[in-house]
Every structure is written in C-alpha cells, then in structure tokens.
Amino acid sequence: MSREDPSSWGVAARVEVLTGLLSYSIRRFPILLAAIFLSLISVCLELLAMLSLFPVTLVAAGQALPAHSKWIQVTAALGVTPTLTVFLLVFLALLLLRLITDAAATLTVSYVYRRLIAHFSSRAFKAFIAGLGFRDVQRNSIGYYINLAGDEANRASQIVMSLSRLVPVVALAGLYWLALAIKSPW
C-alpha cells in the first residue's frame, strides 16, 4: 500500500488492508479466533433455541408432534417424554448456553482488545521515533507522539474488534435466513 490518502483507495485496496490487519491480529493473538469461534457457537445456540419454540407452540396448542420430527428424536435420545415442560426446559437450557457462550466471547474480545491497543501503541510509537529525525522529535513533546501512537492503535484495535464481531452477526443473519427458507420455502 502506498502512503497516499486512504480515502482515495478503491474497495479492493480497503479490503486488502482490513484483511491484512485482521490476519496480523489473529496471528499475533490467536485467542481472537477463540472469541470468534465462541461467538459462532453462541449464534448457533440462539438459532437452536428459537427453533426449539416450534414444538413448544405445537404441544401448547394441544397438537401432537409429527413422528418424523427431529425434536421427537432429541427427546428420545435424552430419554425423556416429549412434554411441554421438557420443551420449555430445552429452550431455557439452550438460551442459557447461548448467554454463557456470548459472555465468554465478549470477555475474550475485551481481553484481546486491550492487548491489541498495547501492542499497536508500542509498535506505532517505535515506528514514529525510528522514522523521524532527532530535530523532528525535538519539535514536539514526547507526549504528542505517545498520544498519536495511542490514537492510531485505538483505531486499528477498534477495526479488528468490529470485524471480529461482524462475523457472528453475518452468520446469524445467514442462519436465520436459511432456517426460514427451510421452514417456509415459499
């Protein structure tokens, strides 16, 4: 990438920079992958919890579940009778697991965010000092360069965290669309 104004970059150049920043961050802090993975598990649990409401509505309305229903197979595998109470407990358990995995993902992202800011700040400060002449460094206070490095590090860290939180949101939207397409093809 050249040092030209980023607002003049095309879409491909911006995607390349964002992809490079995210891949660098994942290589440097592999726990970021764990946060993304936890978020994806959380998203899947949310979808399962919402799908578990289908048998709740049927049983609550006094209707029997179809014999080929996956929920009949699930209750049989658990060794329980498919009652309204069981389906409500399954829903609540899935929802609780979703909340736990989401909290774990959020805590992990928060930890990585703090580490990324520290990492990017130190690298940016080092680059500023190494890239400037002695007279340039003397022209401004050291606090100026520390502040500048911190701002750039914060911006880069926010971009990485936003991208890592975007993955589960896109996955959730895709899974909801897929579930709707399967349940209601028209």
Side-chain angles (χ1 to χ4, degrees):
M1 274 303 114
S2 66
R3 297 219 179 246
E4 65 198 40
D5 181 20
S7 65
S8 67
W9 296 354
V11 173
R14 291 172 191 238
V15 168
E16 180 183 339
V17 168
L18 292 175
T19 304
L21 181 61
L22 186 59
S23 66
Y24 172 81
S25 299
I26 289 172
R27 280 192 316 274
R28 187 78 176 112
F29 301 98
I31 195 167
L32 184 56
L33 271 181
I36 293 170
F37 183 68
L38 279 169
S39 294
L40 289 173
I41 289 172
S42 181
V43 160
C44 290
L45 287 168
E46 178 179 332
L47 184 62
L48 280 174
M50 294 302 114
L51 289 174
S52 74
L53 288 175
F54 284 113
V56 168
T57 58
L58 286 175
V59 174
Q63 298 176 3
L65 292 175
H68 64 279
S69 170
K70 297 285 183 204
W71 293 107
I72 296 290
Q73 296 170 5
V74 168
T75 55
L78 293 173
V80 293
T81 307
T83 64
L84 181 59
T85 303
V86 166
F87 289 125
L88 284 173
L89 288 174
V90 167
F91 168 73
L92 292 174
L94 288 169
L95 205 55
L96 180 64
L97 286 173
R98 192 267 196 259
L99 293 173
I100 291 170
T101 54
D102 187 54
T106 301
L107 289 172
T108 306
V109 164
S110 176
Y111 168 77
V112 172
Y113 179 71
R114 289 190 310 275
R115 297 285 310 267
L116 277 172
I117 288 177
H119 175 74
F120 287 147
S121 290
S122 66
R123 287 190 49 122
F125 184 71
K126 181 180 175 184
F128 287 145
I129 299 304
L132 295 172
F134 185 70
R135 289 180 192 226
D136 293 327
V137 172
Q138 283 184 323
R139 210 173 308 152
N140 293 306
S141 70
I142 199 72
Y144 169 80
Y145 294 107
I146 291 172
N147 191 31
L148 188 59
D151 288 347
E152 293 302 315
N154 188 39
R155 188 173 300 122
S157 298
Q158 285 180 348
I159 289 169
V160 170
M161 292 302 100
S162 295
L163 289 173
S164 69
R165 296 306 277 172
L166 181 66
V167 170
V169 170
V170 170
L172 183 62
L175 286 173
Y176 268 113
W177 181 86
L178 183 65
L180 286 173
I182 290 170
K183 286 290 185 184
S184 181
W186 53 270

